[in-house]
Amino acid sequence: MSEGDMAVIKPKMLKSYIWLQTTDGSIQQVEQEVAMFCPLICREVIQKGMGSSKTHAISLPERVNTAMLSLILDYCRFHQVLGRSNKECKSFDEKFIRMDTQRLCELTSAADSLQLKPLVDLTSRALARIIEGKTPEEIREIFHLPDDLTEEEKLEPLKNVTDDPRIRLLNRLYARKRKELKEREKLKNTENGEQNDDRSVDDLLSFINGEIGDSKEIKSSKNKKKNRRRKDQQKNTCLYEANGSHEEKSLNFVCPSDDVNKFRPSPSLTLTLQDLEHDSLNDQLELDDGDIDDEIDPALKAQIDREVEDFARRLNSDWPQRMQEILSLGQERRRAQFSVNGNDSLRRYA
Amino acid sequence: MDSNSKLFKAWIEDRISGLPDAIVVHILSFLETRYAVQTCLLSHRWNNVWTYVPNLEVHVNSLKCGVDQHVRESGLVDRVLLFRNLSNIHKFHLACLGIEDYFYRIDAWICTAIRRNVVELELDLWTTPSNSYTGLLKLPRSIFICKTLVVLKLVLTDHVIAIPPDSSCFPSLKYLDVQLCHPVAAKSLAKLFSCRYSALEELIIHGNIGRLRGDEVLNLNISAPRLKRLQIRFCAVPEDDPYATDGGYEYKIFVNANAPNLEEFNVKYLLASYTLNSVKSLSKVELKLKGLHAGENLYFADRIHKLFAEIVNVKCLSVLASIVGDPDIAYQYPMPTFNNLNQLELRLQTCCSWQSLPIFLNASPNLEYLVLENNINCRAHGADIDDADDGDVDDSDDYDSHISDNYDEDDLVHEWSPPRVVPICLLSCLKTIYLRGFRGRSDEIEVAGYLLKHGKVLNKVTIHTSNFCEESVMELWQTFSRLPRGSKTCEIEWILPKL
């Protein structure tokens, strides 16, 4: 018999202890029956004979730090006692998992690395209960998740809660915009080969809000930084646009899609025009749009304001002239964006 | 670098995204699918995690808010099934209300789950409550031949039926739970069991089958060679008129279970005519026939007697059937001898006499453990559907429910007349007695006294009182300590209810 085995079944000791070492260096001894409740420790003791002395302490996986270890041992200490009634176990469990979400996540991780399945189940259920029924924003806030899906979110069709015809139109326009974005993406980023399962993201987004009509509009892709930034610029301008002269614009732009299509000389041009349209409408009706405002540099604001005024003026003139303007505006804008990019501090994703 | 530090900070504090994929999927598997799918909006890391969740739980409720909502919700199911990856579905729980609008889609969903090798399938499919609808949803044939299905729970109504193909079906099904929602055609229930369930180990039938019209007779022939646990918990009460005088459709129901390995048998509400071919294997039987009061139709006595004959080799028996105490019946239908009976739980309602106690004691020569529960709520006839299907609620644990307004003060019923001959088990083997719902009435004390006096090998008597005040318990304690005890080693333990 190996030394380890001997240590485990020593009859003369009243209580056997097992030595455990966490990654942050601390070594402690734990009652054998408590420690053996964890399958990983159990295996280490039986198969490798570790844990019998301080020098041969079982080194625990890195996800188990001292605080977590003590929690886990508390759990084991309670549950390894046989003959506890269901009620007792349940009430202990309920009290046990009352902790903040960060610790809960840590505990899940630690329990998983020790292969302690009942505790993993318990903590997972607790986390599921926290997630249940909350909006993505609330969940992100609770768990401090990075909000790195903003672009796609903006494209997400709004909930058609009121059955407003304008919202329906907006959703359709959104879908078309996504399609065009994807085409643009394909044109511009041929070298990236990022053709992985992007499609599904958008599908999910559209159906999650139950947008039935747009199930056909599938193509969109995760935007690269460049595109994102560009659209940010557009959006920012539109934000101020919206505040400024939305009323008039809405009269012009909330028209059946056919009318809009009539004025479509080239795909890229239309894209620009529609971008502006959509974003402005979007901003007016947007439900949750905190992010853009935070990131705008005051120095840039003034410049954007000016551009907005400019643009608003131009839009309110009559159509043929407007078309001319837009044609030139489109090119100008692109140039302007590049220059703005050059020295601005407006950066979403550093 | 403001956004930089913000991102960095986020990374530091975001613990949940750092958990391994398997754990995140595990967490999401506890959520209703709608919420699991929503997590794809959280951040990039959560984009596709939901597609790996093996459990789907969907609720489609069209009564909530108009047609739009229901169309959207059922659209969700379509898209979830399409867009999750092609991995297997482990558990599929579908709860739909108002299914009459989309039968064909439900069929498609179930078939998809089966194609994804579903292991646990739970179907709660309800049509909008109304009398006029006549359509029918037949569960797809592929359910019956699915090789991976182990657990199936379904609801049978007059709009949802399940008709298996001819020969054996459900090759791997171990657990079947059938809920009946009246009115269910007796034929369709019978047809469900017309095939052989070769792997079935546990079968539960509950709910309410409603009225059996005219000459309709229900013949349930259960063929399940591996069946270990059988629970018949359904009643046959016409829901529109629970107090109908032509009620008691039990007499038209015949349950024939060909289950030679049956170990546990539970009957609640329904005193059908039972035939079990489980002579040697039965170990635990629980009969809970609350509505069967003394003085009822003698017809029931015949059935009870037949039932006792079927379970005669049982080791543990729990009985709540007040009709057994009826003196006429006792004379006409003598109890068979339970030779293997080791543990007996006798539960007496307030309307019931003490007569069933000596009957059972005499019938169990090898009894070692006796639980005697008294003062169980005895409601008016026919009102028992109120507590229909309380599932696993073990109401014998809740002693406070015995303190009821229906307490019957009729002294005649509670008179204890000791049997002429002391039952054998008392003299030779009864070691432990547990008295529940004890109120300290004079007849109760007499009974306890009788047991104490003649229990020659008693070790322990535990009395669980429903009295709250300490003085009365002290009185009782003193009374008991004065009672003669037939066994020197007998000790009495008192348990007071939690305040």
Side-chain angles (χ1 to χ4, degrees):
Chain A
M1 267 204 241
S2 75
E3 197 188 346
D5 285 326
M6 294 284 277
V8 169
I9 52 176
K10 250 188 233 177
K12 43 185 173 158
M13 283 180 74
L14 288 170
K15 234 184 186 180
S16 321
Y17 287 83
I18 300 212
W19 293 88
L20 304 172
Q21 180 175 29
T22 56
T23 42
D24 45 9
S26 73
I27 305 178
Q28 49 180 295
Q29 55 174 354
V30 182
E31 300 93 329
Q32 180 182 312
E33 57 278 5
V34 174
M36 296 285 266
F37 199 68
C38 297
L40 188 85
I41 297 178
C42 194
R43 222 182 320 131
E44 288 281 311
V45 169
I46 293 178
Q47 286 178 8
K48 298 185 193 164
M50 300 282 288
S52 51
S53 65
K54 202 163 181 177
T55 45
H56 296 298
I58 298 174
S59 35
L60 297 174
E62 66 172 88
R63 286 186 274 160
V64 186
N65 61 28
T66 317
M68 290 302 118
L69 179 62
S70 94
L71 277 175
I72 291 177
L73 291 176
D74 286 341
Y75 181 86
C76 294
R77 201 164 286 126
F78 182 86
H79 280 272
Q80 56 93 15
V81 174
L82 298 167
R84 292 214 194 261
S85 76
N86 276 343
K87 270 188 206 167
E88 280 180 36
C89 285
K90 267 196 190 150
S91 75
F92 173 85
D93 286 346
E94 265 170 61
K95 284 189 208 135
F96 184 74
I97 52 169
R98 277 188 217 157
M99 58 181 85
D100 63 280
T101 52
Q102 300 302 320
R103 278 165 76 87
L104 208 49
C105 296
E106 273 188 76
L107 184 58
T108 313
S109 178
D112 175 54
S113 61
L114 289 177
Q115 295 160 6
L116 192 54
K117 193 165 189 316
L119 185 55
V120 174
D121 278 347
L122 179 64
T123 48
S124 300
R125 275 180 207 268
L127 287 167
R129 276 199 295 273
I130 295 174
I131 294 177
E132 190 166 26
K134 298 207 167 66
T135 66
E137 290 75 36
E138 288 168 357
I139 300 176
R140 256 187 252 120
E141 186 159 328
I142 292 174
F143 289 104
H144 306 284
L145 298 177
D147 185 6
D148 55 3
L149 272 184
T150 319
E151 209 48 53
E152 287 89 315
E153 264 180 63
K154 292 284 178 264
L155 296 176
E156 182 187 330
L158 302 169
K159 273 195 188 160
N160 204 345
V161 174
T162 58
D163 215 353
D164 190 348
R166 284 193 305 172
I167 299 179
R168 254 189 274 133
L169 167 72
L170 178 64
N171 289 339
R172 261 184 248 135
L173 295 175
Y174 262 24
R176 196 174 306 122
K177 180 189 178 185
R178 275 200 307 278
K179 184 171 168 191
E180 276 150 351
L181 273 175
K182 173 96 191 245
E183 282 163 19
R184 207 156 51 123
E185 179 74 42
K186 278 207 173 118
L187 283 171
K188 302 233 187 283
N189 300 320
T190 44
E191 77 269 358
N192 291 334
E194 197 185 63
Q195 293 299 323
N196 49 17
D197 205 15
D198 294 336
R199 216 192 296 169
S200 58
V201 172
D202 229 282
D203 289 328
L204 300 176
L205 296 171
S206 59
F207 79 67
I208 280 166
N209 283 322
E211 186 47 44
I212 302 144
D214 292 328
S215 55
K216 299 172 254 164
E217 321 284 349
I218 322 171
K219 316 292 180 199
S220 168
S221 56
K222 293 184 196 174
N223 295 304
K224 304 252 78 187
K225 256 193 201 176
K226 258 197 301 183
N227 289 343
R228 254 191 242 131
R229 231 181 280 152
R230 206 175 299 145
K231 270 206 291 324
D232 284 345
Q233 299 297 333
Q234 290 171 357
K235 282 211 175 81
N236 292 331
T237 58
C238 291
L239 188 71
Y240 295 98
E241 244 173 7
N243 296 338
S245 52
H246 180 77
E247 309 308 306
E248 284 129 315
K249 273 206 279 102
S250 63
L251 286 173
N252 290 325
F253 292 137
V254 180
C255 52
S257 38
D258 300 332
D259 284 343
V260 175
N261 288 337
K262 263 193 261 165
F263 298 102
R264 196 204 284 245
S266 75
S268 54
L269 172 66
T270 322
L271 177 62
T272 316
L273 175 61
Q274 285 184 334
D275 269 350
L276 301 170
E277 274 175 37
H278 302 171
D279 291 334
S280 64
L281 281 173
N282 166 42
D283 292 328
Q284 193 218 6
L285 299 160
E286 184 112 333
L287 301 178
D288 44 0
D289 170 30
D291 312 285
I292 298 184
D293 291 319
D294 300 339
E295 313 264 326
I296 292 172
D297 193 40
L300 185 64
K301 255 195 193 177
Q303 186 179 6
I304 291 173
D305 269 339
R306 269 180 267 120
E307 292 188 283
V308 162
E309 294 299 328
D310 225 6
F311 188 60
R313 257 187 295 113
R314 285 202 216 104
L315 283 172
N316 291 331
S317 51
D318 52 39
W319 268 108
Q321 196 189 355
R322 205 207 288 164
M323 284 316 297
Q324 276 295 86
E325 305 279 13
I326 283 164
L327 271 165
S328 54
L329 177 72
Q331 275 133 32
E332 250 178 73
R333 193 156 276 285
R334 272 197 208 109
R335 265 180 263 125
Q337 279 157 14
F338 281 118
S339 63
V340 167
N341 279 346
N343 56 7
D344 79 343
S345 53
L346 170 69
R347 250 173 293 162
R348 282 198 99 82
Y349 309 99
Chain B
M1 306 314 147
D2 186 34
S3 44
N4 248 346
S5 60
K6 191 176 177 187
L7 208 64
F8 183 61
K9 198 170 157 218
W11 176 78
I12 284 275
E13 291 179 356
D14 170 19
R15 292 298 166 83
I16 195 170
S17 298
L19 293 173
D21 270 357
I23 299 283
V24 177
V25 167
H26 189 56
I27 294 173
L28 294 186
S29 69
F30 293 115
L31 291 173
E32 219 182 287
T33 302
R34 180 205 320 256
Y35 300 122
V37 168
Q38 265 187 7
T39 61
C40 74
L41 294 178
L42 291 176
S43 73
H44 275 135
R45 186 255 186 278
W46 289 78
N47 233 336
N48 281 321
V49 186
W50 74 271
T51 60
Y52 295 99
V53 174
N55 295 349
L56 292 179
E57 180 181 339
V58 195
H59 297 259
V60 181
N61 184 350
S62 79
L63 289 188
K64 237 193 256 175
C65 19
V67 183
D68 232 21
Q69 179 79 3
H70 126 247
V71 172
R72 186 188 309 169
E73 283 178 346
S74 55
L76 174 64
V77 185
D78 286 330
R79 281 177 249 233
V80 167
L81 286 175
L82 286 171
F83 294 127
R84 69 187 294 281
N85 56 18
L86 296 178
S87 67
N88 288 341
I89 295 178
H90 181 79
K91 180 170 164 192
F92 187 42
H93 178 176
L94 186 61
C96 302
L97 188 51
I99 59 174
E100 58 267 15
D101 295 326
Y102 49 98
F103 273 175
Y104 65 97
R105 288 164 80 185
I106 294 183
D107 190 274
W109 298 339
I110 299 174
C111 288
T112 309
I114 292 172
R115 274 167 194 265
R116 300 275 178 269
N117 299 321
V118 67
V119 172
E120 245 186 81
L121 185 59
E122 188 169 340
L123 302 173
D124 285 327
L125 306 171
W126 305 85
T127 50
T128 319
S130 109
N131 292 326
S132 54
Y133 188 67
T134 54
L136 204 59
L137 171 64
K138 275 197 206 163
L139 295 179
R141 193 175 168 275
S142 48
I143 285 189
F144 302 103
I145 53 178
C146 177
K147 293 207 180 75
T148 51
L149 194 62
V150 173
V151 173
L152 174 62
K153 297 185 193 167
L154 48 86
V155 175
L156 290 186
T157 67
D158 53 350
H159 298 303
V160 178
I161 62 173
I163 300 186
D166 291 322
S167 55
S168 86
C169 54
F170 294 119
S172 312
L173 193 72
K174 286 199 182 153
Y175 181 101
L176 174 60
D177 177 313
V178 179
Q179 182 176 345
L180 306 172
C181 178
H182 113 105
V184 182
K187 258 192 314 185
S188 67
L189 180 59
K191 272 219 182 103
L192 178 59
F193 290 101
S194 58
C195 70
R196 197 163 160 269
Y197 287 77
S198 39
L200 195 66
E201 290 181 10
E202 187 161 350
L203 171 62
I204 301 175
I205 308 180
H206 57 127
N208 183 3
I209 196 172
R211 183 178 261 134
L212 287 165
R213 304 188 177 279
D215 292 334
E216 217 179 348
V217 162
L218 173 59
N219 268 318
L220 259 186
N221 290 316
I222 302 169
S223 169
R226 295 229 185 115
L227 193 66
K228 293 208 184 106
R229 287 174 291 279
L230 174 61
Q231 287 190 38
I232 306 278
R233 280 197 262 129
F234 68 97
C235 51
V237 176
E239 225 167 65
D240 48 356
D241 186 9
Y243 298 90
T245 48
D246 66 338
Y249 296 101
E250 300 102 326
Y251 71 91
K252 290 208 237 174
I253 301 180
F254 298 85
V255 177
N256 179 3
N258 183 1
N261 293 314
L262 192 66
E263 290 169 15
E264 282 182 39
F265 182 47
N266 272 21
V267 172
K268 195 170 172 188
Y269 309 119
L270 190 79
L271 186 53
S273 165
Y274 293 102
T275 315
L276 313 167
N277 302 326
S278 328
V279 179
K280 300 223 177 69
S281 59
L282 261 186
S283 71
K284 197 167 160 202
V285 171
E286 186 177 328
L287 305 176
K288 197 170 164 193
L289 302 161
K290 255 191 176 181
L292 224 50
H293 306 273
E296 297 257 302
N297 194 341
L298 278 184
Y299 179 87
F300 291 117
D302 176 45
R303 285 208 161 176
I304 271 265
H305 177 249
K306 180 167 185 291
L307 178 54
F308 284 136
E310 291 287 329
I311 59 171
V312 78
N313 284 314
V314 69
K315 295 194 189 69
C316 298
L317 174 63
S318 167
V319 185
L320 172 62
S322 308
I323 197 174
V324 175
D326 190 315
D328 299 325
I329 291 167
Y331 176 71
Q332 203 169 346
Y333 297 98
M335 190 72 82
T337 310
F338 294 95
N339 279 313
N340 288 337
L341 193 62
N342 188 288
Q343 254 182 272
L344 172 67
E345 183 185 17
L346 188 57
R347 307 174 69 195
L348 304 167
Q349 294 177 280
T350 50
C351 61
C352 177
S353 76
W354 284 109
Q355 207 52 38
S356 30
L357 178 58
I359 291 175
F360 270 105
L361 288 177
N362 279 321
S364 340
N366 296 314
L367 193 66
E368 290 183 21
Y369 189 97
L370 172 67
V371 176
L372 197 56
E373 190 176 343
N374 202 9
N375 295 316
I376 295 177
N377 211 337
C378 172
R379 294 188 228 206
H381 301 190
D384 291 316
I385 54 171
D386 288 344
D387 66 339
D389 207 17
D390 42 340
D392 310 284
V393 170
D394 184 8
D395 54 353
S396 56
D397 269 341
D398 182 10
Y399 305 117
D400 294 335
S401 70
H402 293 177
I403 298 173
S404 71
D405 299 328
N406 291 348
Y407 181 69
D408 192 353
E409 295 286 352
D410 189 354
D411 285 351
L412 267 174
V413 176
H414 298 292
E415 205 180 71
W416 161 254
S417 43
R420 276 181 295 123
V421 180
V422 178
I424 306 172
C425 61
L426 264 183
L427 297 172
S428 57
C429 40
L430 191 61
K431 295 195 184 64
T432 321
I433 298 183
Y434 199 109
L435 298 178
R436 271 202 217 127
F438 201 71
R439 286 206 194 145
R441 280 198 322 260
S442 53
D443 55 297
E444 290 173 333
I445 298 177
E446 274 184 51
V447 170
Y450 181 85
L451 293 171
L452 278 170
K453 182 171 167 194
H454 296 282
K456 303 284 182 208
V457 291
L458 270 180
N459 279 335
K460 189 165 176 186
V461 174
T462 311
I463 306 180
H464 195 302
T465 68
S466 39
N467 279 339
F468 285 163
C469 72
E470 293 223 358
E471 293 86 43
S472 44
V473 174
M474 284 310 295
E475 259 185 59
L476 273 175
W477 185 80
Q478 283 180 356
T479 322
F480 266 78
S481 48
R482 279 186 244 115
L483 290 170
R485 293 179 203 188
S487 156
K488 294 195 187 69
T489 57
C490 178
E491 61 174 65
I492 302 184
E493 181 190 12
W494 293 84
I495 296 182
L496 302 170
K498 288 196 192 126
L499 288 165

